[in-house]
Each structure stands twice: as structure tokens, then as C-alpha cells.
């Protein structure tokens, strides 16, 4: 039987959310989430205003507990908020970095009350940046082979080693680090998860220049860096379990389950660049067909995401099913980027200069950087292995006997 009282409450919340967004979200930022998220320096006054407003409201982390500054919303209310943000062209400005998407949820899962009280409120307000220290030069997909060590020095840990592909390390205040604390244990054992302050002399970051022109990744070197004994997240030598949980949160963040904002339909963008027929349709039948297929794929992904979110006990969908959605989100995003460049023609070749709009330049660079989507957060092949073993229950033929 339908709960009409609950439905009415949701509609009341929808009106409140729409009114709050109208009063607090700068109209000049509407639909510009990708551009705004790329502004690491020289942040516009409007973006700073929006970060402050949504952080203080707690709606950048809508389902997190109120006691730590979160929104305290139910999953149903969070979905309504996301819908209203999409209508307004609004976006979550705190998704750059790992605090809201990965570290924060993992601290809520495994942290002590003291750790939650220390770390969650600044994450909610967007006052700190976090990175994740996982991959190493010889430990990528085989992450459990990591060699960064944390040695017990009595009242603190001493950390030595190297991480690579550390997203946003050069901007970060804190790092969620996987380090080996028991070298004699099996490789999946003897690993601990630590919350490490990046602002210390023993840590050096070296940005890695990428083909898209930006340097979002770093090599990160730990040379006698330190962390207090209470920096452990979860139990000593059980960090692999904590680390896997964080990866579930990461994959959930890459499915479109978190955030806001919306993209203009490709058919709408195409009409600015390509010929139309007498009925106002895209004249190129092949292009029109491929755009239609893409929009069907995008709609299928969105509906599947909505179903998974509705069925999931986790407010952000952080389950093994996120692997399915991560792969489908990657396919939709990469196909959209390819089609957008094709539509723009010569204007889709711009790198810099006055002959190209900012949106055209960002499209080219986004297309290049988007190639990494099928690698980061666990490659498409790793996601397929998770799907086959943990969802479909197929036998694991990758293990030696």
C-alpha cells in the first residue's frame, strides 16, 4: 500500500530544495560543473560562494550524519535533491579530490569517534583536500604487492616508500595511505590503512604531465614521514579490508550516483555545428542514428543507476554492483566525447587560441583525459572480474592451483 504521507513529505522537501537552490546557487554557474571543477587556482567568487553555501548546508554530503555537519537526509530525499540540482544545472563543487567521494565515507565506516569528529566536518565544509596513496611503481592492478612501509617507532609510525598516480597529491592536506606494517605476513595481510598529514617535510609530490595538458596525478615520495599511532583507520594489519571498501566508494562515485548538474543533449549541441534537414533534424542519417543509440545507452544507464540506488541499502550505492555501473558510465562518457568531437568538426581540434571557445577547448582536453576512465578506479577488466566472481558467481580461473 502506498504511503501517501511519505510522498507528500517528499514533495514538500522538493519545494524546499528548489527554493534553497534558487536562493543559493549562482545562475551564472548553471550547467558549468565540468568547467568549475577544473578551476584549482583563481577560483571565481561565484564558485567560492557556492562551495561555502552547500558546505554549510551539508548538502554536498546529503546523507551524512548531522552531528558531523552532513545533511542528514534520507536516501529518498537525497535523490530528490539530486533531481532538483539537475533541473537547476547545479553541481556538487566538493567532488574534486577524495574527501567526499572516498575517504569520508570510509572514515564513517571504520573510524573511531575521535577520527570522525576530527576529519568529517572539514570534509563536509570543503576546507581540506584529500588524496589516496595506493598505487606504486610495481603495485598497480596487483596492489597487494605494495612495498611502502610504516614502522612502529613507539609513539608514532615512520613511513618510507613511493606512491604513483596519486590524484591531487600536490593540493592535498591529508592522504589515506596503504602501507605494509608486517613484512613477514602474506601480501594481503600485514597491510594497514593510515590517515597521514601531507603537510610535513618527509613528503614530496612531483606532478605527472598528461596528454590532456593537466597534471592531476603525482609521484609521491615518503622519506621518514611520520604519523601518530592513532592514525590507523581500522585494525592494525587489516588495511586490505578497509582499502577494498574505499574502492567500492570510489566506483560508486564514478557511476553518476553522486553529484548534480546536467549535460546538454548531444542532439542539441549538434544543431550548432552540423547541417539540418527541412524538418530541423540532423541531416546526416548515420550521425543521427548513432546519436540516438548513444542517448538510449545514456538513458539505460541512468535508469539502471536509479534502480540500483533505490534497491541499495547504501545511500550512495557502494556495492559490488557499482562495478557494472562504473563500466557502463565509462562507455557512455567516452562515446559522448568521441561523438562531440566528430560533431564539432574542425572546432573539435582546438587546443588553445581565440579561434575556439572555452567549451570547445575543454571538450578536446576532456576527450583526452577521459581515456583514463577505463583504467582508474580499477580497469574495465578488473571490474569485469568482480562482476563475474562476486555478482554472477562464476568460477575464478585466474588463481593458480
Amino acid at each position: 500500500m502506498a504511503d501517501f504521507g511519505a510522498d507528500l513529505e517528499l514533495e514538500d522537501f522538493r519545494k524546499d530544495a528548489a527554493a534553497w537552490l534558487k536562493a543559493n546557487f549562482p545562475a551564472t554557474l548553471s550547467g558549468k560543473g565540468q568547467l568549475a571543477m577544473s578551476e584549482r587556482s583563481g577560483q571565481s567568487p561565484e564558485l567560492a560562494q557556492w562551495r561555502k553555501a552547500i558546505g554549510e548546508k551539508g548538502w554536498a554530503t546529503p546523507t551524512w550524519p548531522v552531528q558531523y555537519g552532513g545533511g542528514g537526509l534520507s536516501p529518498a530525499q537525497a535523490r530528490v535533491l539530486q533531481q532538483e540540482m539537475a533541473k537547476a544545472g547545479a553541481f556538487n563543487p566538493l567532488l574534486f579530490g577524495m574527501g567526499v567521494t572516498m575517504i569520508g565515507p570510509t572514515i564513517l565506516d571504520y573510524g573511531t569517534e575521535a577520527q570522525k569528529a576530527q576529519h568529517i566536518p572539514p570534509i563536509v565544509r570543503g576546507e581540506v583536500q584529500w588524496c589516496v596513496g595506493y598505487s606504486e611503481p610495481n603495485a598497480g592492478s596487483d596492489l597487494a604487492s605494495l612495498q611502502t612501509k610504516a614502522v612502529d617507532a613507539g609513539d608514532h609510525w615512520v613511513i618510507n616508500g613511493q606512491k604513483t598516480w596519486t590524484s591531487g597529491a600536490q593540493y592535498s592536506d591529508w592522504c589515506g595511505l596503504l602501507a605494509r606494517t608486517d613484512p613477514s605476513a602474506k601480501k594481503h595481510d600485514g597491510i594497514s590503512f593510515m590517515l597521514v598529514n601531507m603537510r610535513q617535510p618527509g613528503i614530496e609530490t612531483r606532478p605527472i604531465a598528461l596528454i590532456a595538458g593537466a597534471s592531476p596525478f603525482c609521484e609521491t615520495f615518503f622519506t621518514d614521514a611520520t604519523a601518530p599511532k592513532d592514525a590507523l583507520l581500522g585494525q592494525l594489519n587489516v588495511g586490505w579490508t578497509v582499502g577494498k571498501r574505499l574502492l567500492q566508494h570510489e566506483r560508486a562515485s564514478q557511476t553518476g550516483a553522486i553529484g548534480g548538474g546536467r549535460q546538454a543533449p548531444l542532439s542539441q549541441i549538434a544543431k550548432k555545428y552540423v547541417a539540418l534537414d527541412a524538418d530541423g533534424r540532423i541531416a546526416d542519417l548515420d550521425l543521427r542514428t548513432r546519436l540516438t543509440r548513444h542517448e538510449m545507452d545514456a538513458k539505460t544507464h541512468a535508469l539502471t543507476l536509479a534502480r540500483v540506488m533505490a534497491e541499495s541499502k547504501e545511500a550512495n550505492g557502494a556495492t559490488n554492483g557499482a562495478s557494472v555501473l562504473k563500466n557502463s558510465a565509462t562507455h557512455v562518457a567516452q562515446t559522448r566525447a568521441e561523438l562531440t568531437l566528430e560533431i564539432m568538426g574542425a572546432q573539435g581540434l582546438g587546443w588553445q587560441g581565440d579561434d575556439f571557445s572555452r567549451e570547445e577547448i575543454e571538450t578536446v582536453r576532456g576527450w583526452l583525459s577521459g581515456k583514463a576512465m577505463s583504467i582508474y578506479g580499477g580497469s574495465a577488466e578488473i571490474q569485469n572480474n568482480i562482476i563475474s566472481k562476486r555478482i554472477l558467481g562464476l568460477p575464478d580461473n585466474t588463481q593458480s592451483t
Side-chain angles (χ1 to χ4, degrees), residues 104-126:
T106 309
I107 292 175
L108 289 172
D109 288 337
Y110 290 97
T112 64
E113 283 304 312
Q115 288 172 330
K116 294 174 185 177
Q118 177 185 359
H119 293 294
I120 297 301
I123 291 174
V124 168
R125 296 190 298 267

Side-chain angles (χ1 to χ4, degrees), residues 53 62 92 245 323 361:
N92 189 337
R245 181 58 173 161
S323 293
I361 291 172

Side-chain angles (χ1 to χ4, degrees), residues 76-149:
Q77 288 174 319
R79 288 192 290 272
V80 168
L81 174 61
Q82 188 170 354
Q83 291 164 3
E84 292 306 309
M85 289 178 69
K87 289 178 185 177
F91 54 89
N92 189 337
L94 302 189
L95 292 185
F96 182 90
M98 316 300 174
V100 168
T101 56
M102 301 181 214
I103 293 289
T106 309
I107 292 175
L108 289 172
D109 288 337
Y110 290 97
T112 64
E113 283 304 312
Q115 288 172 330
K116 294 174 185 177
Q118 177 185 359
H119 293 294
I120 297 301
I123 291 174
V124 168
R125 296 190 298 267
E127 296 172 351
V128 296
Q129 294 289 345
W130 281 80
C131 62
V132 174
Y134 272 33
S135 296
E136 298 183 1
N138 295 309
S141 295
D142 185 17
L143 180 59
S145 295
L146 64 89
Q147 294 300 309
T148 295
K149 293 180 175 61

Side-chain angles (χ1 to χ4, degrees), residues 38-53:
S38 66
E39 293 187 6
R40 289 297 307 152
S41 60
Q43 189 179 96
S44 69
E46 292 84 2
L47 183 56
Q49 171 192 335
W50 175 228
R51 285 175 61 90
K52 185 174 187 295

